[in-house]
Amino acid sequence: IRMGNKLNGTSKRKSSNGELDIKQDIAPTEPSNDLTILPEKNIPTTPTVLTILSNEKVNIIFLDIDGVLNNSRSSVTELYVIEKELLLILKQLLDNSQTIKNVKPVIVISSTWRYTPNTRTLLLTALTTQNIAQYVIGYTPHINGSNRVHEILWWLKTNTNFNTSECSLELYSIELPELVHKESGDEFPIALTRTKDQLNVNSLVIIDDWNLKDEVKNDTQSVKLLEFLDNHFVHVNKTEGLTETDTTLANDILNRV
């Protein structure tokens, strides 16, 4: 699955056996509105909506993309790349998570791919190739001057019954409408950070190639935040991207009671 960077008007990536090629000519800083899917792989860009019943709990996967669903071997000449083999590893995690009675796996995107309509569409299109897009229920906010861990905790505080007060009390003073990342045309609407109903959390895992522990080590709540990450964070090596070892650890975290 390839999203190409604009190089003399063409993408320099050839099709690979067994891969869906999504080719898009984009400027170096901003994707275009044109998305071309090869005709033999006509995949809908709107995923099936996941139904969560009132008696069901959720296992939440906070998912980064770069360094997780691509790696250092991915093309450096293309701006947006998702590797099929890494998608299949993610799908394995989701399949394993569905074996728990009355618990459904869901995905919340924490990656910078969430910032614009075009990158969100590219991402959902890629995830749809492996029937993964249906699990995406939302996106963490972009809180100016904050960090990814705070953004995840704010999402949990707003949309679930998860007790974030033990992690970072200062989150309660954040007024989201003033601080959400917003660019021209409201490209990242506040509505995308909220779920329709409050979710009952069974467990959660954060999958990211950033060292989130470094992000919070100077935080006023660092001890609590580091403890939170010790219990919920899988640090992916961006050289390899998501591995089966990572998903085994993530599955162990999600199966904790």
Side-chain angles (χ1 to χ4, degrees):
I1 298 166
R2 306 287 179 195
M3 280 62 85
N5 189 10
K6 190 171 184 179
L7 296 170
N8 300 322
T10 61
S11 172
K12 292 188 175 180
R13 193 75 182 203
K14 295 181 180 179
S15 301
S16 300
N17 230 359
E19 285 190 2
L20 164 69
D21 286 312
I22 301 176
K23 187 178 85 172
Q24 184 191 26
D25 287 343
I26 53 179
T29 57
E30 180 64 26
S32 76
N33 288 318
D34 299 325
L35 176 66
T36 302
I37 303 178
L38 296 186
E40 66 269 25
K41 299 286 187 178
N42 188 17
I43 295 171
T45 57
T46 304
T48 305
V49 176
L50 189 69
T51 301
I52 302 170
L53 303 177
S54 58
N55 67 328
E56 290 179 318
K57 294 183 178 181
V58 293
N59 276 345
I60 304 174
I61 300 168
F62 288 95
L63 185 66
D64 183 31
I65 304 301
D66 290 321
V68 176
L69 295 184
N70 54 44
N71 55 37
S72 62
R73 295 187 296 277
S74 300
S75 173
V76 295
T77 62
E78 295 172 357
L79 202 57
Y80 298 100
V81 177
I82 291 180
E83 302 289 353
K84 180 182 177 183
E85 63 268 24
L86 302 182
L87 271 181
L88 292 173
I89 292 173
L90 175 62
K91 189 174 190 303
Q92 211 171 42
L93 172 62
L94 291 164
D95 290 344
N96 290 338
S97 297
Q98 293 187 85
T99 61
I100 309 171
K101 187 178 180 181
N102 291 328
V103 175
K104 282 188 175 176
V106 296
I107 294 173
V108 176
I109 303 299
S110 57
S111 166
T112 55
W113 284 53
R114 71 195 192 276
Y115 288 163
T116 73
N118 290 325
T119 48
R120 290 193 298 271
T121 298
L122 286 170
L123 175 57
L124 290 177
T125 302
L127 295 179
T128 301
T129 65
Q130 301 302 325
N131 200 29
I132 295 173
Q134 63 173 313
Y135 297 100
V136 177
I137 61 168
Y139 306 84
T140 57
H142 183 182
I143 303 175
N144 295 326
S146 189
N147 59 56
R148 189 162 288 186
V149 180
H150 278 191
E151 291 166 349
I152 287 170
L153 287 171
W154 195 99
W155 191 95
L156 286 167
K157 167 187 171 289
T158 303
N159 298 301
T160 77
N161 65 347
F162 186 84
N163 184 7
T164 60
S165 63
E166 295 182 2
C167 301
S168 187
L169 295 172
E170 64 195 43
L171 286 176
Y172 284 82
S173 65
I174 290 176
E175 292 298 330
L176 181 63
E178 297 176 5
L179 297 171
V180 162
H181 170 83
K182 296 177 74 173
E183 294 183 350
S184 60
D186 198 17
E187 292 189 333
F188 187 27
I190 294 168
L192 293 180
T193 69
R194 301 180 186 273
T195 58
K196 180 180 177 182
D197 301 305
Q198 287 278 305
L199 301 175
N200 189 8
V201 178
N202 179 65
S203 189
L204 66 100
V205 65
I206 303 165
I207 300 177
D208 207 307
D209 74 313
W210 288 7
N211 189 343
L212 299 184
K213 292 185 177 181
D214 280 350
E215 283 200 351
V216 303
K217 64 184 180 183
N218 295 321
D219 194 284
T220 56
Q221 306 282 333
S222 62
V223 173
K224 293 177 180 179
L225 290 172
L226 288 170
E227 183 180 352
F228 169 72
L229 290 173
D230 283 340
N231 292 325
H232 298 287
F233 177 43
V234 175
H235 188 191
V236 175
N237 183 341
K238 65 182 178 183
T239 302
E240 298 296 323
L242 190 66
T243 65
E244 291 185 1
T245 300
D246 295 326
T247 57
T248 297
L249 177 55
N251 196 54
D252 288 345
I253 291 171
L254 292 175
N255 281 322
R256 288 180 195 154
V257 186

